[in-house]
PDB file of all heavy atoms in Angstrom:
ATOM      1  N   PHE Q 339      -0.660 -20.124  19.762  1.00  0.00           N
ATOM      2  CA  PHE Q 339      -0.978 -19.617  21.107  1.00  0.00           C
ATOM      3  C   PHE Q 339      -2.329 -20.175  21.537  1.00  0.00           C
ATOM      4  O   PHE Q 339      -3.127 -20.600  20.692  1.00  0.00           O
ATOM      5  CB  PHE Q 339      -1.013 -18.076  21.135  1.00  0.00           C
ATOM      6  CG  PHE Q 339      -2.191 -17.475  20.433  1.00  0.00           C
ATOM      7  CD1 PHE Q 339      -3.418 -17.323  21.080  1.00  0.00           C
ATOM      8  CD2 PHE Q 339      -2.106 -17.074  19.107  1.00  0.00           C
ATOM      9  CE1 PHE Q 339      -4.520 -16.784  20.420  1.00  0.00           C
ATOM     10  CE2 PHE Q 339      -3.212 -16.538  18.438  1.00  0.00           C
ATOM     11  CZ  PHE Q 339      -4.417 -16.394  19.099  1.00  0.00           C
ATOM     12  N   GLU Q 340      -2.561 -20.169  22.831  1.00  0.00           N
ATOM     13  CA  GLU Q 340      -3.881 -20.476  23.376  1.00  0.00           C
ATOM     14  C   GLU Q 340      -4.448 -19.182  23.942  1.00  0.00           C
ATOM     15  O   GLU Q 340      -3.774 -18.500  24.725  1.00  0.00           O
ATOM     16  CB  GLU Q 340      -3.770 -21.507  24.515  1.00  0.00           C
ATOM     17  CG  GLU Q 340      -3.290 -22.883  24.067  1.00  0.00           C
ATOM     18  CD  GLU Q 340      -4.220 -23.512  23.043  1.00  0.00           C
ATOM     19  OE1 GLU Q 340      -5.448 -23.273  23.143  1.00  0.00           O
ATOM     20  OE2 GLU Q 340      -3.729 -24.191  22.131  1.00  0.00           O
ATOM     21  N   PRO Q 341      -5.685 -18.824  23.577  1.00  0.00           N
ATOM     22  CA  PRO Q 341      -6.260 -17.553  24.045  1.00  0.00           C
ATOM     23  C   PRO Q 341      -6.200 -17.384  25.566  1.00  0.00           C
ATOM     24  O   PRO Q 341      -5.984 -16.276  26.054  1.00  0.00           O
ATOM     25  CB  PRO Q 341      -7.704 -17.620  23.553  1.00  0.00           C
ATOM     26  CG  PRO Q 341      -7.666 -18.504  22.355  1.00  0.00           C
ATOM     27  CD  PRO Q 341      -6.584 -19.522  22.633  1.00  0.00           C
ATOM     28  N   ASP Q 342      -6.347 -18.469  26.310  1.00  0.00           N
ATOM     29  CA  ASP Q 342      -6.367 -18.315  27.773  1.00  0.00           C
ATOM     30  C   ASP Q 342      -4.971 -18.371  28.390  1.00  0.00           C
ATOM     31  O   ASP Q 342      -4.835 -18.487  29.605  1.00  0.00           O
ATOM     32  CB  ASP Q 342      -7.313 -19.329  28.424  1.00  0.00           C
ATOM     33  CG  ASP Q 342      -6.921 -20.762  28.098  1.00  0.00           C
ATOM     34  OD1 ASP Q 342      -5.897 -20.961  27.395  1.00  0.00           O
ATOM     35  OD2 ASP Q 342      -7.624 -21.677  28.544  1.00  0.00           O
ATOM     36  N   ARG Q 343      -3.932 -18.288  27.548  1.00  0.00           N
ATOM     37  CA  ARG Q 343      -2.578 -18.186  28.096  1.00  0.00           C
ATOM     38  C   ARG Q 343      -1.898 -16.894  27.643  1.00  0.00           C
ATOM     39  O   ARG Q 343      -0.696 -16.724  27.844  1.00  0.00           O
ATOM     40  CB  ARG Q 343      -1.744 -19.403  27.692  1.00  0.00           C
ATOM     41  CG  ARG Q 343      -2.314 -20.706  28.285  1.00  0.00           C
ATOM     42  CD  ARG Q 343      -1.374 -21.872  28.090  1.00  0.00           C
ATOM     43  NE  ARG Q 343      -0.107 -21.672  28.779  1.00  0.00           N
ATOM     44  CZ  ARG Q 343       1.026 -22.317  28.485  1.00  0.00           C
ATOM     45  NH1 ARG Q 343       1.043 -23.213  27.520  1.00  0.00           N
ATOM     46  NH2 ARG Q 343       2.129 -22.076  29.148  1.00  0.00           N
ATOM     47  N   LEU Q 344      -2.647 -15.984  27.049  1.00  0.00           N
ATOM     48  CA  LEU Q 344      -2.063 -14.720  26.588  1.00  0.00           C
ATOM     49  C   LEU Q 344      -1.916 -13.739  27.745  1.00  0.00           C
ATOM     50  O   LEU Q 344      -2.830 -13.574  28.559  1.00  0.00           O
ATOM     51  CB  LEU Q 344      -2.965 -14.088  25.517  1.00  0.00           C
ATOM     52  CG  LEU Q 344      -3.090 -14.838  24.190  1.00  0.00           C
ATOM     53  CD1 LEU Q 344      -4.172 -14.171  23.328  1.00  0.00           C
ATOM     54  CD2 LEU Q 344      -1.758 -14.848  23.446  1.00  0.00           C
ATOM     55  N   ASN Q 345      -0.759 -13.085  27.790  1.00  0.00           N
ATOM     56  CA  ASN Q 345      -0.529 -12.014  28.765  1.00  0.00           C
ATOM     57  C   ASN Q 345      -0.143 -10.745  28.009  1.00  0.00           C
ATOM     58  O   ASN Q 345       0.579 -10.818  27.018  1.00  0.00           O
ATOM     59  CB  ASN Q 345       0.610 -12.389  29.714  1.00  0.00           C
ATOM     60  CG  ASN Q 345       0.374 -13.728  30.378  1.00  0.00           C
ATOM     61  OD1 ASN Q 345      -0.654 -13.951  31.000  1.00  0.00           O
ATOM     62  ND2 ASN Q 345       1.319 -14.652  30.225  1.00  0.00           N
ATOM     63  N   VAL Q 346      -0.605  -9.601  28.476  1.00  0.00           N
ATOM     64  CA  VAL Q 346      -0.276  -8.331  27.823  1.00  0.00           C
ATOM     65  C   VAL Q 346       0.127  -7.306  28.882  1.00  0.00           C
ATOM     66  O   VAL Q 346      -0.604  -7.113  29.872  1.00  0.00           O
ATOM     67  CB  VAL Q 346      -1.476  -7.767  27.016  1.00  0.00           C
ATOM     68  CG1 VAL Q 346      -1.131  -6.404  26.415  1.00  0.00           C
ATOM     69  CG2 VAL Q 346      -1.899  -8.741  25.919  1.00  0.00           C
ATOM     70  N   ALA Q 347       1.285  -6.676  28.649  1.00  0.00           N
ATOM     71  CA  ALA Q 347       1.684  -5.542  29.489  1.00  0.00           C
ATOM     72  C   ALA Q 347       1.705  -4.285  28.636  1.00  0.00           C
ATOM     73  O   ALA Q 347       2.070  -4.328  27.460  1.00  0.00           O
ATOM     74  CB  ALA Q 347       3.051  -5.780  30.095  1.00  0.00           C
ATOM     75  N   ILE Q 348       1.301  -3.176  29.209  1.00  0.00           N
ATOM     76  CA  ILE Q 348       1.508  -1.879  28.557  1.00  0.00           C
ATOM     77  C   ILE Q 348       2.364  -1.047  29.502  1.00  0.00           C
ATOM     78  O   ILE Q 348       2.048  -0.928  30.691  1.00  0.00           O
ATOM     79  CB  ILE Q 348       0.173  -1.201  28.195  1.00  0.00           C
ATOM     80  CG1 ILE Q 348      -0.599  -2.102  27.209  1.00  0.00           C
ATOM     81  CG2 ILE Q 348       0.410   0.181  27.591  1.00  0.00           C
ATOM     82  CD1 ILE Q 348      -1.877  -1.506  26.642  1.00  0.00           C
ATOM     83  N   ASN Q 349       3.467  -0.554  28.949  1.00  0.00           N
ATOM     84  CA  ASN Q 349       4.466   0.174  29.747  1.00  0.00           C
ATOM     85  C   ASN Q 349       4.794  -0.545  31.065  1.00  0.00           C
ATOM     86  O   ASN Q 349       4.901   0.085  32.125  1.00  0.00           O
ATOM     87  CB  ASN Q 349       4.022   1.618  29.980  1.00  0.00           C
ATOM     88  CG  ASN Q 349       4.171   2.445  28.701  1.00  0.00           C
ATOM     89  OD1 ASN Q 349       4.832   2.026  27.747  1.00  0.00           O
ATOM     90  ND2 ASN Q 349       3.565   3.612  28.673  1.00  0.00           N
ATOM     91  N   GLY Q 350       4.946  -1.873  30.957  1.00  0.00           N
ATOM     92  CA  GLY Q 350       5.449  -2.653  32.087  1.00  0.00           C
ATOM     93  C   GLY Q 350       4.412  -3.171  33.060  1.00  0.00           C
ATOM     94  O   GLY Q 350       4.731  -3.945  33.963  1.00  0.00           O
TER      95      GLY Q 350
END
Side-chain angles (χ1 to χ4, degrees):
Chain Q
F339 71 84
E340 294 300 326
D342 59 2
R343 296 190 63 200
L344 294 172
N345 306 305
V346 177
I348 299 186
N349 286 346

